[in-house]
Amino acid sequence: MVTIRKMENKRINGNDLIALGYKENHAMGVALKINKKRLGFTREQMLVNFKNVLENPELYLEDAVFKPLADVLLKIDAMEEEMIPLKENPETYTIYGEENIEDGAKKQMNVAMKLPVTVAGALMADAHQGYGLPIGGVLATKNAVIPYGVGVDIGCRMALSVFDLPTSYLEEYPDKLKDLLMKKTRFGAGHGYLKHERVDHEVLDNALFETNDFVRALKDKAWTQLGTSGGGNHFVEFGVMEFTEADEALGVEKGKYLALLTHSGSRGLGATIAGHYTKLAKEICKLPYEAQNLAYLDLNTTEGQEYWLAMNLAGDYASACHQVIHDKIKIALGAELLAKVENHHNFAWKELFDGHEVIVHRKGATPASKDVMGIIPGSMATPGFLVRGKGEDAAINSASHGAGRLMSRTQAIKTLSSTDLKTILEDNGITLLGAGMDEAPMAYKDIHTVMSAQADLVDVVATFSPKIVRMADDGSRED
């Protein structure tokens, strides 16, 4: 009885539809969307219906449930004739730490390499499956930008402040530091500041808030969330920054220092921009089903230029959010700043590659050109690294943006133990404020394995060990 019930509840997937005779095209996508609703049908009933619609779509043109599928099936041949063909012989690309990367991420990267605008690609050691371009995917294109190649959280970044305070400050004033993180930060989807709490910043004076009607409507939300952090894996944390030797370029002597590390992006502003222009790209750029989430915008078009400007605004806004947080905490500490380093991912840059200008998408990948500084975090209970790029062409001047997820959020919540998490935190002397089990360190890959896989891409300058970690209380995702 239990086995039958499990079978009835098992979601229909693409392989089930292929067994019925469906092809991997847009009709399959529509069928899978319909199946998500289920609408009172058992799994077996849904399969029977899907088979019947495939064989006789004209009989379902008035059906309330299956009409969208019937419409697509009747138009599929004409749709495929209009689609932009993919490359039959795509370029090869380098994979770092391949043995620890799931097949889904590689499959997504393989599809990205088939785009007619693709010039080169690379997959970082922390890669895992995402939407469109995999997380950890780097893709260089010719005069085209892919909204889902940038990602939903545009300009998500790391920012590090190293203070002139000894690490003993963590032991002497733990309550003060915890209080600062609770009072000077806001976290989670939809959360922001009331009007009397808001701060001003020059990013809000960007002309796009006046010239682009779509962006103009987002200005109040942007002001409300300025200086806040998202949900999910975003954080603000105090920790120990250790330089095992002096770094002349940064001007920091050998030693251990109190440091502040933040991770967040462009909040609701960036997410809304990403959604709007992804939808627009899909309407303009008709790609085969397997590549539909990689729809791109030509930078010679109005739409392409609109997205490019909006993306850069979102990146500047993300940086402003970090600046507000760091300034608030620095002032409250009464400390001097020894060094500040910031780098972003989920972005697209105009760069030279092989002597030609290309658009480099780094979706969950850190810029690592020669001598460029970056921060690669581990998890809430493992070290992060301040690094200096080596400028490796095979990686398109990139490195990983973290440890990378070992399991999905859902899997982590279902399988990981809160008791184990508590033990790990206690063993490492870490105080956790907020966060859900989806962010437990066990849900992430081993950061040391990831760093070993990219030794050719970056040099480690210093190590950051988190000690007081603030994350979203509800484990919410970005809005």
Side-chain angles (χ1 to χ4, degrees):
M1 194 69 176
V2 174
T3 304
I4 293 172
R5 188 171 292 116
K6 281 185 178 179
M7 194 64 188
E8 286 178 350
N9 292 330
K10 184 181 176 185
R11 179 172 288 179
I12 293 168
N13 58 34
N15 289 331
D16 295 319
L17 295 176
I18 289 172
L20 295 177
Y22 280 81
K23 296 178 182 178
E24 291 189 64
N25 56 27
H26 288 78
M28 178 182 286
V30 173
L32 291 173
K33 282 183 180 179
I34 291 172
N35 180 63
K36 281 184 179 180
K37 301 174 185 177
R38 191 56 67 89
L39 302 165
F41 293 108
T42 66
R43 184 178 191 276
E44 197 57 43
Q45 288 171 333
M46 287 298 287
L47 288 171
V48 170
N49 278 309
F50 281 141
K51 183 170 180 61
N52 290 340
V53 179
L54 177 64
E55 293 175 349
N56 299 289
E58 64 281 354
L59 299 181
Y60 288 82
L61 290 174
E62 303 301 323
D63 189 280
V65 175
F66 297 99
K67 182 182 185 305
L69 178 57
D71 284 337
V72 171
L73 285 168
L74 289 170
K75 298 174 184 175
I76 197 70
D77 290 340
M79 288 172 60
E80 290 184 349
E81 284 182 11
E82 295 176 359
M83 286 177 193
I84 299 168
L86 301 179
K87 291 180 181 177
E88 292 185 5
N89 299 299
E91 300 292 327
T92 59
Y93 62 95
T94 304
I95 304 176
Y96 295 87
E98 182 173 5
E99 64 277 9
N100 294 311
I101 297 177
E102 62 188 352
D103 289 339
K106 296 175 194 174
K107 183 178 179 181
Q108 286 184 319
M109 197 68 204
N110 291 342
V111 173
M113 295 303 294
K114 294 179 182 178
L115 294 178
V117 294
T118 292
V119 175
L123 201 55
M124 300 298 100
D126 63 336
H128 55 95
Q129 191 169 337
Y131 288 96
L133 198 63
I135 313 301
V138 182
L139 194 73
T141 59
K142 183 178 180 181
N143 202 48
V145 62
I146 307 165
Y148 257 174
V150 169
V152 174
D153 192 9
I154 301 171
C156 186
R157 65 191 57 220
M158 307 296 307
L160 171 74
S161 287
V162 182
F163 300 116
D164 65 339
L165 295 173
T167 56
S168 59
Y169 202 93
L170 283 159
E171 299 168 1
E172 294 171 6
Y173 304 102
D175 291 338
K176 176 182 177 179
L177 295 178
K178 285 186 281 185
D179 192 54
L180 282 179
L181 292 186
M182 295 303 294
K183 290 182 176 178
K184 303 298 181 183
T185 65
R186 294 281 168 86
F187 275 86
H191 294 184
Y193 289 103
L194 300 175
K195 281 193 175 181
H196 71 279
E197 299 174 310
R198 298 178 189 179
V199 297
D200 290 317
H201 191 282
E202 61 185 5
V203 73
L204 298 174
D205 297 327
N206 189 295
L208 220 58
F209 283 120
E210 301 301 326
T211 59
N212 183 315
D213 290 340
F214 171 72
V215 174
R216 181 191 289 119
L218 301 175
K219 185 171 184 178
D220 191 63
K221 173 180 271 193
W223 190 19
T224 299
Q225 295 188 326
L226 183 62
T228 68
S229 306
N233 62 356
H234 295 157
F235 58 77
V236 180
E237 58 192 26
F238 283 113
V240 175
M241 198 79 214
E242 181 176 8
F243 288 79
T244 56
E245 57 185 61
D247 191 88
E248 186 176 337
L250 283 179
V252 179
E253 295 297 321
K254 174 183 177 180
K256 295 181 180 181
Y257 305 90
L258 176 69
L260 179 75
L261 183 62
T262 56
H263 174 221
S264 190
S266 50
R267 305 293 277 116
L269 172 72
T272 309
I273 288 171
H276 175 77
Y277 285 99
T278 294
K279 182 180 178 183
L280 190 61
K282 287 183 176 182
E283 291 171 356
I284 294 170
C285 179
K286 304 292 187 182
L287 290 172
Y289 176 69
E290 63 177 325
Q292 62 180 344
N293 285 331
L294 292 166
Y296 52 85
L297 295 169
D298 189 315
L299 287 177
N300 289 335
T301 65
T302 300
E303 295 84 359
Q305 281 300 306
E306 274 187 13
Y307 174 76
W308 187 260
L309 293 173
M311 178 197 72
N312 277 279
L313 167 60
D316 291 342
Y317 175 80
S319 181
C321 284
H322 286 266
Q323 183 184 335
V324 169
I325 295 168
H326 283 248
D327 285 351
K328 281 182 178 180
I329 291 178
K330 174 181 173 293
I331 292 169
L333 281 174
E336 291 298 319
L337 196 64
L338 294 180
K340 188 170 183 182
V341 177
E342 184 176 349
N343 68 256
H344 54 304
H345 45 269
N346 288 10
F347 209 69
W349 292 257
K350 289 182 179 179
E351 297 180 5
L352 285 178
F353 182 78
D354 237 4
H356 302 283
E357 184 181 84
V358 294
I359 306 301
V360 179
H361 302 74
R362 294 186 177 94
K363 187 177 183 183
T366 299
S369 295
K370 179 68 174 172
D371 294 330
V372 167
M373 300 301 296
I375 307 143
I376 302 174
S379 69
M380 64 173 72
T382 54
F385 300 90
L386 178 62
V387 300
R388 185 171 280 119
K390 292 185 176 182
E392 176 58 50
D393 282 344
I396 316 180
N397 299 314
S398 308
S400 82
H401 80 315
R405 294 198 71 89
L406 184 62
M407 59 180 72
S408 70
R409 296 185 182 281
T410 301
Q411 185 183 2
I413 291 168
K414 286 182 177 179
T415 62
L416 297 181
S417 162
S418 58
T419 302
D420 290 344
L421 171 59
K422 184 180 179 181
T423 300
I424 290 172
L425 295 176
E426 288 177 350
D427 288 347
N428 288 277
I430 295 166
T431 299
L432 179 61
L433 310 171
M437 286 304 299
D438 55 329
E439 283 303 315
M442 306 88 83
Y444 284 84
K445 297 177 184 178
D446 180 3
I447 185 61
H448 299 289
T449 301
V450 170
M451 294 303 295
S452 295
Q454 56 185 359
D456 292 340
L457 310 185
V458 292
D459 286 317
V460 174
V461 174
T463 303
F464 176 86
S465 300
K467 292 301 175 184
I468 305 176
V469 180
R470 174 79 174 111
M471 302 183 81
D473 295 315
D474 57 359
S476 65
R477 302 188 72 171
E478 184 57 274
D479 52 349

